[in-house]
Amino acid sequence: MTTPGLSPALFMSAMVLTLLASAHPPRAAEKVGAAVDISTRVQGQNGTLSKGDSIFRDETIRSNASGVGAFIFIDGTKLAVGPNSSVVIDEYVFGGGGTVKKLAIGATKGTLRWISGKSDHKAYRLQTPSGTLGVRGTAFDIYIGPDGVTAVTLLSGAADFCNAGGCQTLRRRCDFIIARPRGDITRPKGIVRNIGIKVNGSDAFPFLSGKAGLPRGFDINSTCAGLSGISPDTPNGNSGGVFNPPAPKNDNRGGDGPGTDGPKN
């Protein structure tokens, strides 16, 4: 018996598609890390995030005007998201031994801090409206303005920023570049308060200037004299050291995947 209005051929096609869909249900979201610190309001795709919540591949993370979130991925990579920010976990491919073959982050606005984990540097990529940042075992801060203008300050290691206008390599701590969506990139130079865009350096890089706090292990004992008078011995009011994230709590946000333990010290 066929459904009224459907020819036998169309009816059989619909039945086959239905059977295929039931035989191959959608994959559950893949866990890639966990929130280790949340201040005020930070949201994922399924609602407000709390400390210990898992984060997932393809998830978009957004913060409000005072929100700060700190996250650690399975390979030990650390990502801090500042106020009024939006990032998406575009790609995440697991490797062996607690490493990843690929971790790609898309950042569309706001500020973030990145500290590489133990995977090969070629696995990491950060995409911004003004170009792509390649990582070399690196820590850095990024600011993305409403117009897509992107500023990057290096904190350790090295990083390459490339777009249609070419590439610039950051090699010296506290050097920064400015990139624009049309392809312009400045040469690296020491960070200062007046960085030549609509916001000053202290507001563009609140983690670096001390305007936004971070948990221990995310501050990486680094300040830049051009932004603040904070003593290098006490960055952001913290004493440094290694941060041991809590075990992710059982949540109802769904998904299966490996655990989210950080690197062992």
Side-chain angles (χ1 to χ4, degrees):
M1 178 178 177
T2 61
T3 301
L6 285 180
S7 69
L10 288 175
F11 177 76
M12 289 302 298
S13 296
M15 288 294 294
V16 169
L17 289 173
T18 301
L19 289 172
L20 286 173
S22 62
H24 300 281
R27 278 181 53 186
E30 187 174 25
K31 295 180 182 179
V32 299
V36 296
D37 194 73
I38 299 291
S39 174
T40 312
R41 188 174 180 85
V42 179
Q43 287 190 298
Q45 61 190 23
N46 294 320
T48 301
L49 290 167
S50 299
K51 183 177 180 179
D53 280 347
S54 296
I55 54 173
F56 301 91
R57 188 180 63 182
D58 299 326
E59 182 159 19
T60 298
I61 298 170
R62 298 182 178 89
S63 60
N64 68 2
S66 57
V68 175
F71 305 90
I72 189 163
F73 291 89
I74 291 168
D75 75 330
T77 294
K78 297 172 183 176
L79 176 69
V81 178
N84 287 324
S85 300
S86 179
V87 300
V88 60
I89 305 167
D90 280 331
E91 296 180 80
Y92 200 100
V93 180
F94 291 104
T99 65
V100 297
K101 294 181 179 179
K102 183 175 288 187
L103 171 54
I105 302 292
T108 57
K109 68 173 183 175
T111 185
L112 63 88
R113 171 163 292 181
W114 169 280
I115 304 174
S116 296
K118 62 182 180 180
S119 302
D120 187 281
H121 68 88
K122 294 179 182 177
Y124 303 124
R125 177 173 57 85
L126 281 91
Q127 186 69 42
T128 78
S130 293
T132 302
L133 193 63
V135 179
R136 302 186 192 177
T138 307
F140 50 79
D141 284 6
I142 297 179
Y143 166 78
I144 302 166
D147 54 359
V149 170
T150 301
V152 183
T153 298
L154 185 71
L155 303 179
S156 69
D160 299 313
F161 194 98
C162 298
N163 63 14
C167 296
Q168 291 290 338
T169 299
L170 290 157
R171 296 188 178 90
R172 189 173 62 179
R173 188 175 74 86
C174 293
D175 272 5
F176 80 105
I177 57 98
I178 300 289
R180 302 180 186 279
R182 63 175 178 267
D184 300 336
I185 312 177
T186 64
R187 292 182 180 276
K189 62 180 180 180
I191 187 69
V192 291
R193 289 182 181 274
N194 182 6
I195 58 176
I197 58 177
K198 295 178 180 179
V199 298
N200 64 45
S202 296
D203 293 330
F205 300 110
F207 299 138
L208 197 54
S209 65
K211 290 190 173 184
L214 287 169
R216 293 177 63 193
F218 283 74
D219 54 34
I220 66 171
N221 291 333
S222 184
T223 58
C224 293
L227 286 187
S228 72
I230 299 174
S231 169
D233 296 329
T234 56
N236 297 337
N238 294 323
S239 58
V242 177
F243 181 74
N244 294 312
K249 69 182 182 182
N250 293 326
D251 54 54
N252 297 318
R253 287 159 34 84
D256 296 309
T260 52
D261 294 334
K264 295 181 179 180
N265 299 313

